[in-house]
Amino acid sequence: MIDDRPRWAQRMESERAARGWSPLDAARAMCAHSSHELPDERTLARSWRRWESGAVEPRDHKALIAAVFGTTTHAFFPVDHRRDGNTEVLDVSGMDTVEIVARLRASDIDEATLDALRITVDRLCTEYAYMPGDQLLIEGRAWLNRVVSMQHQRLTLGQHRDVLSLAGMLTLLVGCVEYDGGGVTRTHAEATRQAALIIGREVGHAGIQGWAHEMRAWFALTTGDMRGVISAADAGLAVAPAQSVAVQLLAQKAKAWARLGDRRQTEVALDAGRTLLESMPYPENVQNHFVVDPGKWDFYSMDCYRKVGDNQISETLAREVLRAGVDFDGAERSPMRNAEARITLGVVAAREGDLETALAYGDQALRGDRQSLPSLTMVASDLDAVLTQRYDNDPQAREFIQHMRSLDSR
């Protein structure tokens, strides 16, 4: 049968079931998380059943329900908020790419040109999620060269700072794509990251500095240096404690603690990140790679719960990541997140004895055109481990394990 309830109602049921709770247990959890007076538990349990049925929307309790399940309001009750960057450049500035480049070559730069450039940088950072890496790297480097060349033109002090800040964001983007690609380009990523950090310090831009530290945490995570992750995250939190990047820095700490086997510290970091994210206004462009999408918190938590071995919660979160990351027509909105969600579902299936399903999810995850090889390799190692441990004598499992390990050589 088709479940035509709202997605939030379906999720309320699946999250509750993943924890083995009854509606009364869920009501008690709401009371435990609330700092305000609520109706008695049995009244709340009756309301919970009506919410799960989809008949009534929990208008006044959305944030509390999200907190009970360790996520954010906008992840549990999502807002459709998508933008077309190319259209916006034309709408706001009246200029296409060719005209922007021509204006950048002029001796004087006006505010309209800078506005168009800001939107272009935002568009490039948005395209990180789905544009093929080699294509984005070429375009990102080309725009970075154009922005850097502006330093030789007549600029006011304010314009000079703005141009450097845009160069810093493009440098961060280029470094991420370099690291994603593996092979030769990965060797350039650390130097690119350091260049972004220097720019951030020069212009006093806490966000750029924070993201440069976040990149170091990401590099350390994917190379197995968990203490390095925590050190880099703490450095970033010191310079940008209230910025959006602080949420992702806390997520990286949570991932590191999960891999160190410390569930308590993992959940402390997750709760700190979730609380900070919940306190922030909804982002103008949630697709920008350097903006923490409230819905992405499920993705971070999924990774952590898979690592600590909680199959039910990690599976529930993986399905939510896929629901948010695939459009109604089947198009991949967030292919890199989706790949890791499918690996997670493969790990859970393998742990539960379903090899066929595990291999199907694993194969689908590795077939994507847009991949972050370091992150995908790191996550795939979990599937490698469980397949090796439980199915080492199965020919199909052995063949798939060899395929996964070939990712390291790319």
Side-chain angles (χ1 to χ4, degrees):
M1 294 180 61
I2 297 175
D3 190 342
D4 58 359
R5 290 178 297 164
R7 278 301 313 172
W8 52 262
Q10 296 177 45
R11 183 168 183 180
M12 286 181 69
E13 181 180 25
S14 62
E15 292 273 12
R16 176 179 60 76
R19 290 159 176 79
W21 291 353
S22 67
L24 184 59
D25 293 327
R28 288 168 178 157
M30 286 182 68
C31 293
H33 279 80
S34 178
S35 58
H36 304 289
E37 186 174 348
L38 294 173
D40 65 84
E41 293 174 353
R42 296 194 179 279
T43 299
L44 272 179
R46 286 194 296 272
S47 296
W48 191 282
R49 293 185 183 93
R50 297 181 70 203
W51 295 333
E52 278 194 11
S53 74
V56 177
E57 186 175 348
R59 297 183 184 279
D60 298 328
H61 300 296
K62 291 181 178 179
L64 181 56
I65 291 168
V68 163
F69 295 123
T71 189
T72 64
T73 305
H74 288 300
F76 214 101
F77 303 92
V79 176
D80 187 16
H81 193 90
R82 302 191 69 189
R83 290 168 34 175
D84 181 342
N86 289 315
T87 300
E88 190 173 10
V89 171
L90 286 168
D91 288 346
V92 174
S93 68
M95 290 181 274
D96 60 14
T97 297
V98 173
E99 188 174 353
I100 296 171
V101 172
R103 296 279 288 271
L104 291 176
R105 292 192 179 120
S107 58
D108 292 318
I109 303 296
D110 60 19
E111 285 305 309
T113 305
L114 281 175
D115 284 342
L117 189 57
R118 291 185 190 101
I119 296 168
T120 299
V121 172
D122 181 74
R123 173 181 63 80
L124 290 168
C125 293
T126 298
E127 289 173 345
Y128 175 86
Y130 55 84
M131 181 180 284
D134 54 352
Q135 182 181 341
L136 184 58
L137 186 58
I138 291 170
E139 191 171 351
R141 284 173 172 169
W143 278 104
L144 180 56
N145 286 332
R146 291 164 186 157
V147 172
V148 169
S149 70
M150 293 173 65
Q151 296 300 302
H152 304 298
Q153 297 165 262
R154 291 194 295 270
L155 300 171
T156 67
L157 286 175
Q159 288 176 333
H160 178 74
R161 186 182 185 282
D162 288 346
V163 167
L164 275 179
S165 295
L166 290 169
M169 294 308 301
L170 284 169
T171 304
L172 289 169
L173 176 66
V174 168
C176 288
V177 181
E178 286 175 339
Y179 195 71
D180 280 341
V184 175
T185 62
R186 193 184 302 182
T187 63
H188 303 309
E190 173 57 19
T192 305
R193 183 198 72 81
Q194 291 185 28
L197 182 60
I198 291 169
I199 293 172
R201 287 171 175 165
E202 182 177 342
V203 297
H205 196 300
I208 292 174
Q209 294 177 67
W211 281 109
H213 288 297
E214 192 279 336
M215 286 174 66
R216 183 163 71 91
W218 173 36
F219 297 173
L221 184 72
T222 55
T223 54
D225 179 11
M226 297 307 133
R227 296 295 175 182
V229 177
I230 294 168
S231 174
D234 286 341
L237 289 166
V239 297
Q243 303 260 343
S244 176
V245 65
V247 175
Q248 189 138 325
L249 289 162
L250 287 163
Q252 299 291 32
K253 285 187 73 170
K255 290 182 179 184
W257 284 119
R259 283 160 175 78
L260 290 169
D262 192 327
R263 180 161 181 161
R264 187 182 71 83
Q265 290 287 0
T266 299
E267 293 185 332
V268 166
L270 282 176
D271 189 59
R274 185 202 65 78
T275 302
L276 178 59
L277 182 55
E278 188 77 310
S279 72
M280 293 179 171
Y282 192 79
E284 182 180 351
N285 179 12
V286 296
Q287 307 297 324
N288 187 310
H289 179 62
F290 298 107
V291 171
V292 180
D293 171 4
K296 198 174 182 180
W297 199 250
D298 293 336
F299 172 70
Y300 300 143
S301 299
M302 173 195 75
D303 178 271
C304 294
Y305 283 107
R306 185 191 67 252
K307 288 303 300 183
V308 300
D310 195 318
N311 291 342
Q312 290 183 307
I313 293 180
S314 60
E315 179 182 1
T316 298
L317 290 169
R319 296 194 185 283
E320 288 299 323
V321 170
L322 286 173
R323 181 195 60 77
V326 179
D327 279 331
F328 69 93
D329 59 357
E332 298 275 322
R333 184 185 300 178
S334 305
M336 291 183 287
R337 294 188 210 175
N338 295 346
E340 294 189 32
R342 291 182 177 113
I343 290 288
T344 297
L345 291 173
V347 169
V348 171
R351 287 173 178 169
E352 295 179 347
D354 188 348
L355 176 60
E356 182 179 355
T357 298
L359 295 178
Y361 276 124
D363 181 65
Q364 192 176 4
L366 302 187
R367 280 193 276 112
D369 293 330
R370 181 65 176 100
Q371 297 178 343
S372 171
L373 286 176
S375 296
L376 186 59
T377 302
M378 175 185 71
V379 176
S381 67
D382 290 351
L383 185 53
D384 183 322
V386 68
L387 290 176
T388 301
Q389 179 184 9
R390 301 191 182 194
Y391 307 98
D392 196 40
N393 293 325
D394 186 284
Q396 284 185 296
R398 286 202 305 271
E399 180 181 356
F400 184 74
I401 289 168
Q402 290 304 313
H403 177 49
M404 281 195 297
R405 291 178 182 176
S406 70
L407 292 173
D408 285 325
S409 62
R410 289 167 61 180

